[in-house]
Short mmCIF file of all heavy atoms in Angstrom, two decimals:
data_model
loop_
_atom_site.label_atom_id
_atom_site.label_comp_id
_atom_site.label_asym_id
_atom_site.label_seq_id
_atom_site.Cartn_x
_atom_site.Cartn_y
_atom_site.Cartn_z
N MET A 1 0.82 -1.21 0.00
CA MET A 1 0.00 0.00 0.00
C MET A 1 0.86 1.27 0.00
O MET A 1 0.42 2.33 0.42
CB MET A 1 -0.91 0.00 1.24
CG MET A 1 -1.80 -1.21 1.36
SD MET A 1 -3.15 -1.21 0.18
CE MET A 1 -4.29 -0.13 1.01
N PHE A 2 2.10 1.16 -0.50
CA PHE A 2 3.05 2.27 -0.47
C PHE A 2 3.64 2.46 -1.86
O PHE A 2 3.97 1.48 -2.54
CB PHE A 2 4.16 1.94 0.53
CG PHE A 2 5.19 3.02 0.67
CD1 PHE A 2 4.94 4.16 1.43
CD2 PHE A 2 6.43 2.90 0.07
CE1 PHE A 2 5.89 5.15 1.57
CE2 PHE A 2 7.39 3.88 0.20
CZ PHE A 2 7.12 5.01 0.96
N VAL A 3 3.79 3.70 -2.30
CA VAL A 3 4.36 3.98 -3.61
C VAL A 3 5.17 5.28 -3.55
O VAL A 3 4.84 6.19 -2.80
CB VAL A 3 3.26 4.07 -4.70
CG1 VAL A 3 2.35 5.25 -4.48
CG2 VAL A 3 3.86 4.09 -6.09
N ILE A 4 6.25 5.32 -4.33
CA ILE A 4 7.05 6.54 -4.49
C ILE A 4 7.17 6.81 -5.98
O ILE A 4 7.54 5.93 -6.76
CB ILE A 4 8.47 6.39 -3.90
CG1 ILE A 4 8.41 6.08 -2.40
CG2 ILE A 4 9.30 7.65 -4.16
CD1 ILE A 4 9.77 5.78 -1.79
N VAL A 5 6.84 8.04 -6.38
CA VAL A 5 6.99 8.47 -7.77
C VAL A 5 7.73 9.80 -7.82
O VAL A 5 7.78 10.53 -6.82
CB VAL A 5 5.63 8.59 -8.51
CG1 VAL A 5 4.93 7.25 -8.59
CG2 VAL A 5 4.74 9.62 -7.86
N GLN A 6 8.30 10.10 -8.98
CA GLN A 6 8.93 11.41 -9.21
C GLN A 6 8.23 12.08 -10.37
O GLN A 6 7.77 11.44 -11.30
CB GLN A 6 10.41 11.25 -9.55
CG GLN A 6 11.30 11.11 -8.35
CD GLN A 6 12.77 11.22 -8.71
OE1 GLN A 6 13.17 11.01 -9.84
NE2 GLN A 6 13.58 11.53 -7.72
N THR A 7 8.16 13.41 -10.29
CA THR A 7 7.52 14.20 -11.33
C THR A 7 8.29 15.50 -11.54
O THR A 7 9.04 15.94 -10.66
CB THR A 7 6.05 14.50 -10.96
OG1 THR A 7 5.44 15.27 -12.01
CG2 THR A 7 5.94 15.27 -9.65
N ASP A 8 8.05 16.12 -12.70
CA ASP A 8 8.64 17.42 -12.98
C ASP A 8 7.79 18.56 -12.42
O ASP A 8 8.20 19.72 -12.46
CB ASP A 8 8.82 17.61 -14.49
CG ASP A 8 9.93 16.73 -15.06
OD1 ASP A 8 10.90 16.45 -14.33
OD2 ASP A 8 9.81 16.30 -16.22
N LEU A 9 6.58 18.24 -11.92
CA LEU A 9 5.73 19.28 -11.33
C LEU A 9 6.41 19.88 -10.10
O LEU A 9 7.19 19.21 -9.43
CB LEU A 9 4.39 18.68 -10.89
CG LEU A 9 3.44 18.17 -11.96
CD1 LEU A 9 2.21 17.54 -11.31
CD2 LEU A 9 3.03 19.29 -12.90
N THR A 10 6.08 21.11 -9.79
CA THR A 10 6.55 21.71 -8.54
C THR A 10 5.79 21.05 -7.38
O THR A 10 4.75 20.40 -7.59
CB THR A 10 6.27 23.23 -8.51
OG1 THR A 10 4.85 23.43 -8.52
CG2 THR A 10 6.93 23.95 -9.67
N VAL A 11 6.30 21.23 -6.17
CA VAL A 11 5.61 20.69 -5.00
C VAL A 11 4.19 21.24 -4.93
O VAL A 11 3.22 20.50 -4.70
CB VAL A 11 6.41 21.01 -3.71
CG1 VAL A 11 5.59 20.69 -2.47
CG2 VAL A 11 7.73 20.27 -3.69
N GLU A 12 4.04 22.53 -5.14
CA GLU A 12 2.73 23.18 -5.10
C GLU A 12 1.78 22.60 -6.15
O GLU A 12 0.62 22.30 -5.86
CB GLU A 12 2.89 24.69 -5.30
CG GLU A 12 1.59 25.45 -5.21
CD GLU A 12 1.79 26.95 -5.38
OE1 GLU A 12 2.81 27.49 -4.89
OE2 GLU A 12 0.93 27.57 -6.02
N ASP A 13 2.26 22.44 -7.38
CA ASP A 13 1.42 21.90 -8.45
C ASP A 13 1.06 20.43 -8.21
O ASP A 13 -0.05 20.00 -8.52
CB ASP A 13 2.09 22.07 -9.81
CG ASP A 13 2.07 23.51 -10.30
OD1 ASP A 13 1.29 24.32 -9.77
OD2 ASP A 13 2.86 23.83 -11.21
N ALA A 14 1.99 19.66 -7.66
CA ALA A 14 1.71 18.25 -7.36
C ALA A 14 0.65 18.16 -6.26
O ALA A 14 -0.27 17.34 -6.34
CB ALA A 14 2.99 17.53 -6.94
N ALA A 15 0.76 19.00 -5.23
CA ALA A 15 -0.24 19.01 -4.15
C ALA A 15 -1.62 19.37 -4.70
O ALA A 15 -2.63 18.74 -4.35
CB ALA A 15 0.18 19.98 -3.05
N LYS A 16 -1.67 20.35 -5.58
CA LYS A 16 -2.92 20.76 -6.20
C LYS A 16 -3.50 19.62 -7.03
O LYS A 16 -4.70 19.34 -6.98
CB LYS A 16 -2.71 22.01 -7.07
CG LYS A 16 -3.96 22.55 -7.68
CD LYS A 16 -3.67 23.82 -8.47
CE LYS A 16 -4.92 24.33 -9.15
NZ LYS A 16 -4.67 25.53 -9.95
N PHE A 17 -2.64 18.92 -7.78
CA PHE A 17 -3.07 17.79 -8.60
C PHE A 17 -3.72 16.72 -7.73
O PHE A 17 -4.82 16.25 -8.02
CB PHE A 17 -1.87 17.18 -9.35
CG PHE A 17 -2.19 15.84 -9.97
CD1 PHE A 17 -2.83 15.77 -11.19
CD2 PHE A 17 -1.86 14.66 -9.32
CE1 PHE A 17 -3.15 14.54 -11.75
CE2 PHE A 17 -2.15 13.43 -9.88
CZ PHE A 17 -2.81 13.37 -11.09
N TYR A 18 -3.07 16.32 -6.64
CA TYR A 18 -3.62 15.27 -5.78
C TYR A 18 -4.89 15.72 -5.08
O TYR A 18 -5.84 14.95 -4.96
CB TYR A 18 -2.57 14.78 -4.77
CG TYR A 18 -1.64 13.79 -5.42
CD1 TYR A 18 -0.41 14.19 -5.91
CD2 TYR A 18 -2.01 12.46 -5.58
CE1 TYR A 18 0.42 13.30 -6.54
CE2 TYR A 18 -1.17 11.56 -6.21
CZ TYR A 18 0.04 11.98 -6.69
OH TYR A 18 0.87 11.09 -7.33
N ASP A 19 -4.94 16.96 -4.62
CA ASP A 19 -6.13 17.48 -3.96
C ASP A 19 -7.33 17.44 -4.92
O ASP A 19 -8.40 16.95 -4.56
CB ASP A 19 -5.87 18.89 -3.45
CG ASP A 19 -6.91 19.34 -2.46
OD1 ASP A 19 -7.34 18.52 -1.62
OD2 ASP A 19 -7.30 20.52 -2.50
N GLU A 20 -7.15 17.93 -6.14
CA GLU A 20 -8.24 17.97 -7.11
C GLU A 20 -8.62 16.57 -7.60
O GLU A 20 -9.80 16.23 -7.67
CB GLU A 20 -7.85 18.85 -8.30
CG GLU A 20 -7.76 20.32 -7.94
CD GLU A 20 -7.26 21.17 -9.09
OE1 GLU A 20 -6.91 20.63 -10.17
OE2 GLU A 20 -7.20 22.40 -8.90
N THR A 21 -7.62 15.75 -7.93
CA THR A 21 -7.88 14.43 -8.50
C THR A 21 -8.52 13.50 -7.48
O THR A 21 -9.51 12.82 -7.78
CB THR A 21 -6.58 13.81 -9.03
OG1 THR A 21 -6.02 14.68 -10.03
CG2 THR A 21 -6.83 12.44 -9.65
N LEU A 22 -7.99 13.47 -6.26
CA LEU A 22 -8.55 12.58 -5.25
C LEU A 22 -9.95 13.02 -4.83
O LEU A 22 -10.82 12.18 -4.58
CB LEU A 22 -7.61 12.48 -4.05
CG LEU A 22 -6.31 11.74 -4.33
CD1 LEU A 22 -5.35 11.86 -3.15
CD2 LEU A 22 -6.56 10.28 -4.67
N SER A 23 -10.20 14.32 -4.81
CA SER A 23 -11.53 14.83 -4.49
C SER A 23 -12.54 14.33 -5.52
O SER A 23 -13.65 13.89 -5.17
CB SER A 23 -11.51 16.35 -4.45
OG SER A 23 -12.80 16.85 -4.21
N LYS A 24 -12.17 14.37 -6.79
CA LYS A 24 -13.05 13.89 -7.87
C LYS A 24 -13.30 12.38 -7.75
O LYS A 24 -14.32 11.89 -8.22
CB LYS A 24 -12.44 14.19 -9.24
CG LYS A 24 -12.45 15.66 -9.60
CD LYS A 24 -11.77 15.89 -10.92
CE LYS A 24 -11.64 17.36 -11.22
NZ LYS A 24 -10.85 17.62 -12.45
N LEU A 25 -12.38 11.65 -7.13
CA LEU A 25 -12.51 10.20 -6.98
C LEU A 25 -13.20 9.81 -5.67
O LEU A 25 -13.25 8.63 -5.31
CB LEU A 25 -11.13 9.54 -7.06
CG LEU A 25 -10.43 9.65 -8.41
CD1 LEU A 25 -9.01 9.12 -8.32
CD2 LEU A 25 -11.22 8.90 -9.48
N GLY A 26 -13.73 10.81 -4.95
CA GLY A 26 -14.51 10.54 -3.75
C GLY A 26 -13.74 10.54 -2.44
O GLY A 26 -14.28 10.21 -1.40
N TRP A 27 -12.46 10.93 -2.49
CA TRP A 27 -11.66 11.02 -1.26
C TRP A 27 -11.96 12.35 -0.59
O TRP A 27 -12.15 13.37 -1.24
CB TRP A 27 -10.17 10.93 -1.58
CG TRP A 27 -9.74 9.57 -2.02
CD1 TRP A 27 -9.78 9.07 -3.29
CD2 TRP A 27 -9.21 8.53 -1.20
NE1 TRP A 27 -9.31 7.78 -3.29
CE2 TRP A 27 -8.95 7.42 -2.03
CE3 TRP A 27 -8.94 8.42 0.16
CZ2 TRP A 27 -8.42 6.23 -1.54
CZ3 TRP A 27 -8.41 7.24 0.65
CH2 TRP A 27 -8.17 6.16 -0.19
N THR A 28 -11.98 12.36 0.74
CA THR A 28 -12.21 13.57 1.52
C THR A 28 -10.90 14.04 2.12
O THR A 28 -10.19 13.27 2.78
CB THR A 28 -13.22 13.30 2.66
OG1 THR A 28 -14.44 12.83 2.08
CG2 THR A 28 -13.49 14.56 3.46
N SER A 29 -10.56 15.28 1.87
CA SER A 29 -9.33 15.86 2.42
C SER A 29 -9.48 16.08 3.92
O SER A 29 -10.50 16.59 4.37
CB SER A 29 -9.02 17.19 1.72
OG SER A 29 -7.88 17.79 2.29
N ASP A 30 -8.48 15.69 4.68
CA ASP A 30 -8.45 15.93 6.12
C ASP A 30 -7.57 17.16 6.35
O ASP A 30 -6.36 17.04 6.50
CB ASP A 30 -7.90 14.71 6.86
CG ASP A 30 -7.88 14.89 8.36
OD1 ASP A 30 -8.21 16.00 8.84
OD2 ASP A 30 -7.52 13.93 9.06
N GLU A 31 -8.21 18.33 6.33
CA GLU A 31 -7.46 19.59 6.43
C GLU A 31 -6.63 19.69 7.70
O GLU A 31 -5.56 20.26 7.71
CB GLU A 31 -8.42 20.77 6.34
CG GLU A 31 -9.17 20.88 5.02
CD GLU A 31 -8.26 21.17 3.84
OE1 GLU A 31 -7.26 21.89 4.01
OE2 GLU A 31 -8.57 20.68 2.75
N SER A 32 -7.11 19.09 8.80
CA SER A 32 -6.39 19.19 10.07
C SER A 32 -5.08 18.39 10.05
O SER A 32 -4.19 18.65 10.85
CB SER A 32 -7.27 18.73 11.23
OG SER A 32 -7.56 17.35 11.13
N SER A 33 -4.98 17.42 9.15
CA SER A 33 -3.75 16.61 9.06
C SER A 33 -2.91 16.97 7.85
O SER A 33 -1.92 16.31 7.56
CB SER A 33 -4.12 15.12 9.00
OG SER A 33 -4.74 14.73 10.19
N SER A 34 -3.31 17.99 7.10
CA SER A 34 -2.59 18.41 5.91
C SER A 34 -1.82 19.69 6.19
O SER A 34 -2.36 20.62 6.80
CB SER A 34 -3.56 18.63 4.74
OG SER A 34 -4.23 17.44 4.41
N ASN A 35 -0.55 19.73 5.76
CA ASN A 35 0.30 20.90 5.99
C ASN A 35 1.19 21.16 4.78
O ASN A 35 1.56 20.23 4.08
CB ASN A 35 1.23 20.66 7.19
CG ASN A 35 0.47 20.44 8.47
OD1 ASN A 35 -0.22 21.33 8.92
ND2 ASN A 35 0.59 19.25 9.04
N SER A 36 1.53 22.41 4.58
CA SER A 36 2.50 22.79 3.56
C SER A 36 3.50 23.74 4.19
O SER A 36 3.12 24.65 4.92
CB SER A 36 1.81 23.48 2.38
OG SER A 36 1.02 22.57 1.66
N PHE A 37 4.78 23.50 3.90
CA PHE A 37 5.82 24.38 4.41
C PHE A 37 7.02 24.29 3.48
O PHE A 37 7.56 23.22 3.26
CB PHE A 37 6.22 24.02 5.85
CG PHE A 37 6.14 22.55 6.17
CD1 PHE A 37 7.25 21.73 6.02
CD2 PHE A 37 4.95 21.99 6.58
CE1 PHE A 37 7.16 20.38 6.30
CE2 PHE A 37 4.86 20.63 6.86
CZ PHE A 37 5.96 19.83 6.72
N GLY A 38 7.35 25.43 2.87
CA GLY A 38 8.48 25.48 1.95
C GLY A 38 8.31 24.52 0.79
O GLY A 38 7.28 24.52 0.13
N ASP A 39 9.33 23.69 0.57
CA ASP A 39 9.31 22.73 -0.53
C ASP A 39 8.79 21.37 -0.08
O ASP A 39 9.28 20.33 -0.52
CB ASP A 39 10.72 22.58 -1.13
CG ASP A 39 11.09 23.73 -2.05
OD1 ASP A 39 10.17 24.40 -2.55
OD2 ASP A 39 12.28 23.95 -2.26
N MET A 40 7.77 21.37 0.79
CA MET A 40 7.20 20.12 1.27
C MET A 40 5.72 20.29 1.56
O MET A 40 5.30 21.30 2.11
CB MET A 40 7.93 19.64 2.52
CG MET A 40 7.44 18.30 3.04
SD MET A 40 8.36 17.76 4.50
CE MET A 40 9.92 17.31 3.75
N SER A 41 4.93 19.29 1.18
CA SER A 41 3.50 19.27 1.51
C SER A 41 3.15 17.89 2.02
O SER A 41 3.62 16.88 1.50
CB SER A 41 2.64 19.55 0.27
OG SER A 41 2.65 20.91 -0.04
N SER A 42 2.33 17.85 3.04
CA SER A 42 1.83 16.61 3.61
C SER A 42 0.31 16.66 3.53
O SER A 42 -0.31 17.56 4.09
CB SER A 42 2.28 16.49 5.07
OG SER A 42 1.70 15.36 5.66
N LEU A 43 -0.27 15.73 2.78
CA LEU A 43 -1.71 15.71 2.57
C LEU A 43 -2.30 14.44 3.16
O LEU A 43 -1.65 13.39 3.15
CB LEU A 43 -2.03 15.76 1.07
CG LEU A 43 -1.37 16.88 0.26
CD1 LEU A 43 -1.66 16.69 -1.22
CD2 LEU A 43 -1.85 18.23 0.75
#
C-alpha cells in the first residue's frame, strides 16, 4: 500500500493535482492533518 513516484511538477502543483484528483474520486481531504511548508507538503 506504499508507492514513491517522481515528477517534474513543482511541490505546489503536485499538491494541487492530488487534492483535485482525489476529491473527484470521492476522497475527503483531512485539512487538520494536511500541511504545507516550503518545498514540502503533507496531505
Side-chain angles (χ1 to χ4, degrees):
M1 303 287 279
F2 181 78
V3 66
I4 300 174
V5 297
Q6 277 191 339
T7 180
D8 289 329
L9 293 176
T10 64
V11 169
E12 183 179 322
D13 287 343
K16 184 177 177 182
F17 167 82
Y18 279 97
D19 195 39
E20 291 175 357
T21 301
L22 291 172
S23 177
K24 289 177 186 174
L25 294 173
W27 290 86
T28 301
S29 176
D30 182 355
E31 297 294 326
S32 66
S33 295
S34 299
N35 298 296
S36 291
F37 33 93
D39 282 338
M40 183 179 287
S41 284
S42 174
L43 308 173

